[in-house]
Amino acid sequence: MPVSAEMLALNLYVGLASPLIGSGIAAATARMVDRQAWGQGWGLAPSSCPACGRRLGALEMIPVLSWVAQRGRCRGCSGPISLHYPLVELAAVVVAVWAAVTVPPHVYIATCVLGWLLVALSAVDIRTRRLPDGLNLVLAATGLGAAAVLDGTRMADHVLGAVAGFGSLVAIEIAYRRLRGRDGIGRGDAKLLGGTGAWTGIQGLAPCIFVAALSGIVLVLTIAATNRRPVSSDTVISFGPFLAAGGWLTWLYGPLVS
Ligand SMILES: [Zn+2]
């Protein structure tokens, strides 16, 4: 695909806007975590202190830097400001930079959209062990949309990726419940794998699950080693961030559309 000056300029704007987009994602996901989610209060930044309600000035809303400068505390009441904000903002910038050095220019914006959705899903899952249906749906819809634009001749692979991604984890979920009599993985994980399957196509599912399972096992073993606490079948971790990592790496380095 030819690379135009307009495309490069648009990519540059999107990349430069990534700290602000990160702020928006941080604020939106914080509200999902607080269960004020969907429908109300979609501000673009934490505009007031969560503890004292004081309105923040422009200098206090600079992504990442203001949090670090204020050492994570409100300048009015010294109340703590969640690490959620700087971490999500930083992750959004990392996505934009990583994409810039990895994918060709015509795939840049789609890659950022994928990365930012995965950051949002991971942030909510880590804090609530839930993956919002709405976000998973947006992931699947944008994945099929990106496939239609970038990889239109193999559309069937992406539809199959979504269906098989969802179906395979639902099958594992049901089998686990039959065998163990309780829930292992959640239905949200299945929807997330369906969404990433829409992006990577069915060829991307196996590498995605492989990376997710491997990184999940490494983390559980690390937790066990550092806590000196045995890992049992009751050890609970959110699987969403690992699936997100699998989807992200597969999109970047696996069956990338051409
Ligand atoms: Zn305050």
Side-chain angles (χ1 to χ4, degrees):
M1 192 176 275
V3 177
S4 66
E6 287 80 9
M7 182 191 287
L8 291 178
L10 187 60
N11 286 355
L12 186 65
Y13 291 139
V14 169
L16 290 176
S18 63
L20 294 175
I21 292 166
S23 269
I25 298 169
T29 50
R31 288 186 175 126
M32 286 177 206
V33 169
D34 294 342
R35 289 164 190 269
Q36 296 169 16
W38 306 101
Q40 41 170 310
W42 278 80
L44 277 178
S47 49
S48 57
C49 166
C52 69
R54 189 178 63 89
R55 288 196 73 76
L56 301 184
L59 280 178
E60 292 169 86
M61 288 198 266
I62 301 169
V64 185
L65 299 180
S66 56
W67 190 93
V68 174
Q70 293 161 221
R71 296 192 175 84
R73 301 209 160 264
C74 167
R75 275 158 74 184
C77 67
S78 299
I81 299 169
S82 171
L83 252 180
H84 173 95
Y85 291 97
L87 288 183
V88 171
E89 287 160 356
L90 198 61
V93 175
V94 168
V95 161
V97 173
W98 197 339
V101 298
T102 310
V103 300
H106 70 280
V107 192
Y108 181 70
I109 291 176
T111 303
C112 286
V113 168
L114 170 65
W116 291 332
L117 284 169
L118 294 175
V119 165
L121 282 156
S122 300
V124 176
D125 195 25
I126 287 168
R127 296 190 58 194
T128 66
R129 296 218 183 95
R130 296 188 73 86
L131 293 158
D133 279 346
L135 274 180
N136 275 332
L137 198 62
V138 172
L139 183 69
T142 51
L144 293 179
V149 173
L150 299 166
D151 198 24
T153 55
R154 294 195 300 132
M155 204 57 211
D157 289 352
H158 294 269
V159 174
L160 270 177
V163 174
F166 177 70
S168 57
L169 276 200
V170 169
I172 293 172
E173 174 199 324
I174 292 170
Y176 189 92
R177 197 182 302 124
R178 288 263 168 82
L179 286 170
R180 307 293 299 271
R182 58 190 174 77
D183 290 331
I185 48 175
R187 188 58 57 90
D189 295 319
K191 291 170 184 166
L192 175 55
L193 188 62
T196 51
W199 279 87
T200 63
I202 190 160
Q203 301 87 344
L205 286 180
C208 175
I209 293 173
F210 176 75
V211 171
L214 193 67
S215 54
I217 289 166
V218 167
L219 182 88
V220 167
L221 293 179
T222 308
I223 290 173
T226 50
N227 285 0
R228 301 178 201 296
R229 198 174 57 193
V231 177
S232 74
S233 61
D234 294 327
T235 304
V236 177
I237 54 166
S238 303
F239 197 47
F242 300 103
L243 283 174
W248 175 245
L249 293 176
T250 301
W251 171 259
L252 290 183
Y253 304 107
L256 182 66
V257 293
S258 53

